[in-house]
Amino acid sequence: PSRRNLPDGWCFDDEQMPRYFGVRGLESDGTLAYHTHAGYNRCLANKNILFIGDSRVRYQYMHLASYLKSGGTFMRCSDTSPVSDEECYLIHEKMYSHRLGSDGWKEWYQNTTEMLNEEGLQTSICDCDRPLDSFPSFTHENRFTTTRTPYGDINLIYLQSYQDLIRIHRGFPPFGGGPGFTESPCVPGYCESLDDAYVGNLTSTLDTLIPLLGVTHAF
């Protein structure tokens, strides 16, 4: 990595992204121990990490979940140039030419959930529905992804918050959808038949759900 025009403790990676390596310095081969795939796994293992917000926060969640599953490859996506990386579909719901209607959103919810599942490595559920012609505040998109690593499991949680409103159906953690729960998760895109188990604003969600989900870090 290059260190031109950067303060001490920083360097550019191969993609010219500034990375912080701190007081430990670089490894003997010039790599950053914390910024390898194994480094991510070791750092995040045995943690429950909550992302809460709108689609911009969801992009960060999807990007990290994809990286943990990929074995060490960050997706290459751009807002201004044609997208060639199929993995970008995870964060670019309009990647394909059709305009997303009700059925399009159902397809995207299902496909992206499938993309984040891999037997023996990663499991993902999506408490997701978007009724046709509805206001965003009437939609649900909550995701829970578990990645198994040699150091322990990593749990990533995304809760959609739109106009300071979070809604969670029955069948999604902490109200179901995991080991020991009788309520199974819904089929992504077809969750509207379930009742809400929780409705609240950001403050009440942080107060109520962080302890129930065992969150260690929240963004």
Side-chain angles (χ1 to χ4, degrees), residues 3-188:
R3 296 184 59 189
R4 67 182 186 280
N5 300 323
L6 288 176
D8 291 344
W10 288 80
C11 70
F12 287 106
D13 64 14
D14 292 339
E15 298 179 0
Q16 301 306 300
M17 179 68 69
R19 300 287 188 182
Y20 178 69
F21 59 84
V23 297
R24 287 190 55 186
L26 302 175
E27 300 295 303
S28 59
D29 62 357
T31 61
L32 299 172
Y34 285 128
H35 296 288
T36 63
H37 188 258
Y40 271 77
N41 283 344
R42 187 181 299 110
C43 179
L44 300 180
N46 305 306
K47 295 181 174 66
N48 298 338
I49 303 166
L50 173 65
F51 296 76
I52 185 166
D54 59 15
S55 59
R56 292 166 294 185
V57 177
R58 184 229 292 155
Y59 299 157
Q60 306 304 313
Y61 168 92
M62 296 293 239
H63 203 148
L64 179 56
S66 169
Y67 177 76
L68 294 175
K69 176 175 174 284
S70 72
T73 302
F74 282 112
M75 64 179 77
R76 296 174 179 269
C77 311
S78 172
D79 292 332
T80 58
S81 61
V83 177
S84 58
D85 187 344
E86 289 296 318
E87 200 76 3
C88 294
Y89 182 53
L90 286 168
I91 66 170
H92 192 347
E93 66 273 11
K94 297 180 177 67
M95 184 170 167
Y96 297 113
S97 58
H98 66 279
R99 183 183 176 93
L100 286 174
S102 181
D103 290 342
W105 280 105
K106 293 178 190 299
E107 181 180 359
W108 185 75
Y109 291 143
Q110 292 174 10
N111 290 344
T112 54
T113 303
E114 183 178 346
M115 288 172 69
L116 293 178
N117 274 279
E118 183 173 326
E119 186 174 357
L121 174 63
Q122 193 172 76
T123 59
S124 189
I125 62 174
C126 181
D127 169 29
C128 300
D129 67 72
R130 182 179 287 251
L132 187 63
D133 297 328
S134 67
F135 290 105
S137 56
F138 288 97
T139 69
H140 295 73
E141 187 178 349
N142 307 300
R143 296 175 181 265
F144 196 108
T145 300
T146 299
T147 306
R148 307 198 183 285
T149 82
Y151 314 100
D153 289 353
I154 302 170
N155 291 318
L156 304 181
I157 308 156
Y158 168 70
L159 301 179
Q160 176 184 267
S161 175
Y162 184 81
Q163 295 183 341
D164 199 24
L165 181 67
I166 296 94
R167 303 175 64 192
I168 301 174
H169 283 127
R170 292 184 294 108
F172 186 84
F175 308 106
F181 290 99
T182 57
E183 190 80 45
S184 299
C186 58
V187 176

Side-chain angles (χ1 to χ4, degrees), residues 185-199:
C186 58
V187 176
Y190 294 88
C191 299
E192 66 272 12
S193 62
L194 296 178
D195 295 329
D196 282 328
Y198 176 82
V199 178

